[in-house]
Amino acid sequence: MKNKSPGKIIGIGLNYLTLSVVSLIMLVPFLWMLSTSLKEPAKIFVFPPELIPSPIRLENYTEVLANTPFHLFYWNSLYIAILVTIGTVLFASIAGYAFARIPFKGRNLVFLLLLSTMMIPNEVTSIPMFLFMRTLGFINTHVPLIVLPIFGAGGIFGVFVMRQFFLGIPKELEEAAMIDGCSRWRIYWSIMLPLAKPAIATLTIFTFLTSWNDFYDPLIFLNDRELMTLPLALSLFTDEAGTAWHHLMSASVMATLPLLIVFFFAQKQFIEGVSMTGMKD
């Protein structure tokens, strides 16, 4: 700070102040959710609002766990998100390596067409996908929630991320491996994937969060309560009598905590992956 002019110091201070204000604004919904989850039903909408509940009602959480198979919803969301993440990373890394390193006729055109499909809204393709899955007999199963995201917009986004990262890896590494007799698969598995850990970490976080928070696809493909994922299960707390806000917010807090924990421990890899996945031609 000694070598900086007063104008630069003021500018840095204003940047920090702006970021702090924006961060506090973005924290308000989460703080309200957490506060509401600990309130008595009669005190949820009092004015002025109470940020710190009095008394703190932990029974909201125990009632949610006692009245709904919340552990089952957790398991459904968890294993679906894990399978989608593994499948997406595997598919995207293979395709991304092919588009980045393997020359073939029409490669750029095929990649451009692939990216153009990301502009199609999910709502447009939902009816054809529903009819297709119904023909295969996969309605009211978890299969559409696993397969469609891997080869849908999320998978295409992953292909883009991995391709951009692979383009930034020096070609000399690949050429040296070919001279030593390595096959394309060996180069991909033993050289490219280890170097792509930051991009894989970024794609893993994005994919896991997207699958965990998905509400639209489970709403379309699932009917049975025991098959529900967490976002869809949250709708169980709204019925003809209204919304049980204290239970809904308690369930929402329990559904959100795993995401916060994952991001807290993986934020370094996430930031590194975002910064290293450049826009290469």
Side-chain angles (χ1 to χ4, degrees), residues 28-206:
V28 168
F30 178 77
L31 294 176
W32 186 86
M33 177 180 68
L34 180 61
S35 176
T36 303
S37 70
L38 298 171
K39 290 180 180 179
E40 295 179 345
K43 293 188 176 182
I44 293 177
F45 295 109
V46 297
F47 189 84
E50 297 179 355
L51 183 60
I52 301 177
S54 179
I56 294 178
R57 191 173 189 271
L58 296 176
E59 290 82 359
N60 293 339
Y61 289 87
T62 58
E63 289 170 0
V64 168
L65 297 175
N67 298 331
T68 61
F70 210 72
H71 65 285
L72 187 59
F73 304 146
Y74 246 97
W75 166 248
N76 291 338
S77 290
L78 182 62
Y79 98 86
I80 289 174
I82 290 176
L83 291 180
V84 169
T85 301
I86 294 174
T88 300
V89 170
L90 184 61
F91 161 71
S93 60
I94 294 175
Y97 173 71
F99 281 115
R101 294 304 198 192
I102 302 177
F104 57 88
K105 188 175 181 179
R107 180 179 64 175
N108 293 334
L109 178 60
V110 173
F111 182 68
L112 182 62
L113 291 175
L114 190 67
L115 288 183
S116 66
T117 61
M118 294 181 62
M119 295 185 290
I120 303 175
N122 190 33
E123 292 77 9
V124 174
T125 60
S126 58
I127 294 178
M129 287 296 100
F130 178 85
L131 296 176
F132 179 59
M133 288 293 136
R134 188 179 66 177
T135 302
L136 297 178
F138 290 143
I139 297 299
N140 202 31
T141 70
H142 290 153
V143 174
L145 307 183
I146 298 172
V147 175
L148 296 182
I150 294 175
F151 301 102
I156 296 172
F157 170 76
V159 173
F160 172 78
V161 170
M162 298 305 298
R163 173 186 178 271
Q164 300 308 110
F165 191 90
F166 286 139
L167 286 175
I169 297 177
K171 293 183 178 180
E172 290 76 11
L173 292 174
E174 191 175 15
E175 293 171 353
M178 288 182 175
I179 294 175
D180 290 338
C182 291
S183 62
R184 284 288 185 183
W185 175 258
R186 180 71 181 275
I187 294 172
Y188 157 78
W189 187 260
S190 300
I191 299 177
M192 291 298 184
L193 274 189
L195 292 175
K197 287 181 180 179
I200 292 175
T202 302
L203 182 58
T204 296
I205 294 174
F206 272 123

